[in-house]
């Protein structure tokens, strides 16, 4: 084994290669033996950087959330209201299309006790809540709206990844119609909230 090659391996390289593998073949494809083969090292060498395969998947889940947040944040800059909702929604879908494995990690790996994961999850929540501020919704209703949007986007991307949209219609146009319909509901709730003030 080339020792100079081994010396170049660090956690960043491991995460990068793991990301490539799971985005191409799925999260369940990842194993220490396959990863070590891709990195041209012996499997035990991976334990110098991560404690277990589960720990590696947890790191990938965190990376997935960070990436999703960055996509949505950049998409929302300089936009507000309906335009911002469309923009961050498209960014969400684009991230999943580019990094299906990372997204799968972020939605499948247990994370209830991981503070860093919770932090990035909260960051995404707050980002969407800020986008919704223009509609002057109550905090409770805003959280319901965030849950709804997440459900729509997760469901849409999951179906797309499974090849569930088989009809010869433009998928992006379907997404636009879906988000437009959702936005109409937000406006309706906003009007009701203002009437009760």
């Amino acid at each position: 084994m080339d020792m100079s090659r081994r010396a170049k391996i660090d956690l960043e390289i491991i995460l990068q290669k793991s990301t490539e593998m799971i985005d191409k073949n799925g999260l369940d494809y990842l194993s220490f033996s396959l990863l070590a083969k891709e990195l041209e090292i012996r499997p035990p060498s991976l334990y110098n950087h991560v404690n277990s395969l589960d720990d590696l998947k947890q790191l990938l889940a965190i990376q997935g959330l960070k990436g999703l947040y960055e996509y949505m944040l950049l998409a929302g800059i300089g936009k507000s209201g309906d335009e911002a909702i469309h923009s961050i929604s498209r960014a969400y879908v684009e991230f999943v299309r580019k990094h299906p494995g990372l997204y799968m990690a972020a939605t499948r790996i247990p994370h209830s006790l991981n503070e860093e994961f919770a932090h990035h999850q909260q960051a995404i929540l707050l980002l969407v809540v800020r986008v919704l501020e223009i509609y002057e919704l109550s905090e409770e209703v805003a959280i319901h709206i965030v849950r709804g949007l997440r459900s729509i986007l997760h469901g849409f991307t999951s179906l797309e990844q499974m090849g569930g949209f088989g009809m010869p219609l433009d998928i992006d146009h379907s997404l636009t119609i879906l988000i437009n319909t959702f936005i109409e509901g937000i406006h309706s709730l906003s009007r009701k909230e203002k009437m009760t003030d």
Side-chain angles (χ1 to χ4, degrees):
M1 183 66 67
D2 184 352
M3 295 301 290
S4 64
R5 168 73 180 177
R6 290 179 62 191
K8 295 178 182 178
I9 299 301
D10 58 20
L11 182 57
E12 183 178 350
I13 291 173
I14 290 172
L15 289 174
Q16 181 179 349
K17 180 57 67 175
S18 298
T19 297
E20 292 173 7
M21 291 172 65
I22 65 176
D23 282 343
K24 181 179 180 180
N25 300 296
L27 183 64
D28 295 331
Y29 175 80
L30 186 64
S31 69
F32 268 16
S33 59
L34 289 173
L35 177 58
K37 183 178 179 180
E38 288 286 334
L39 293 170
E40 300 179 16
I41 60 174
R42 288 188 289 267
S45 299
L46 291 168
Y47 290 100
N48 294 326
H49 306 281
V50 288
N51 295 325
S52 67
L53 182 60
D54 285 342
D55 284 344
L56 175 57
K57 288 181 177 180
Q58 180 73 78
L59 291 172
L60 290 168
I62 292 169
Q63 186 165 293
L65 269 192
K66 289 171 66 176
L68 179 59
Y69 172 76
E70 289 168 3
Y71 261 60
M72 295 173 71
L73 179 64
L74 288 174
I77 292 175
K79 302 178 181 68
S80 64
D82 299 358
E83 183 186 15
I85 293 177
H86 271 290
S87 188
I88 65 172
S89 296
R90 286 193 299 270
Y92 189 113
V93 173
E94 288 168 8
F95 177 80
V96 179
R97 287 172 176 170
K98 185 173 182 180
H99 294 294
L102 276 183
Y103 179 75
M104 186 180 295
T107 55
R108 276 185 46 187
I109 301 304
H111 48 71
S112 58
L113 300 180
N114 188 292
E115 291 184 5
E116 187 175 2
F117 187 97
H119 169 77
H120 294 297
Q121 198 171 45
Q122 183 74 2
I124 293 174
L125 169 66
L126 293 177
L127 171 61
V128 181
V129 167
R130 285 197 298 271
V131 167
L132 295 174
E133 286 178 353
I134 194 171
Y135 300 102
E136 299 180 7
L137 303 165
S138 68
E139 182 178 350
E140 181 178 334
V141 170
I143 296 300
H144 288 310
I145 293 296
V146 172
R147 285 178 175 175
L149 185 60
R150 180 188 178 193
S151 298
I152 287 171
L153 296 174
H154 177 69
F156 186 92
T157 53
S158 296
L159 284 169
E160 184 177 20
Q161 291 299 315
M162 293 186 298
F165 297 129
M167 297 182 69
L169 292 171
D170 184 78
I171 296 175
D172 290 331
H173 187 53
S174 295
L175 177 64
T176 298
I177 291 174
L178 182 59
I179 299 303
N180 277 336
T181 304
F182 185 71
I183 289 172
E184 286 182 16
I186 296 175
H187 282 288
S188 177
L189 285 170
S190 179
R191 287 191 295 270
K192 290 178 181 179
E193 294 246 313
K194 289 174 182 176
M195 288 174 63
T196 57
D197 284 348

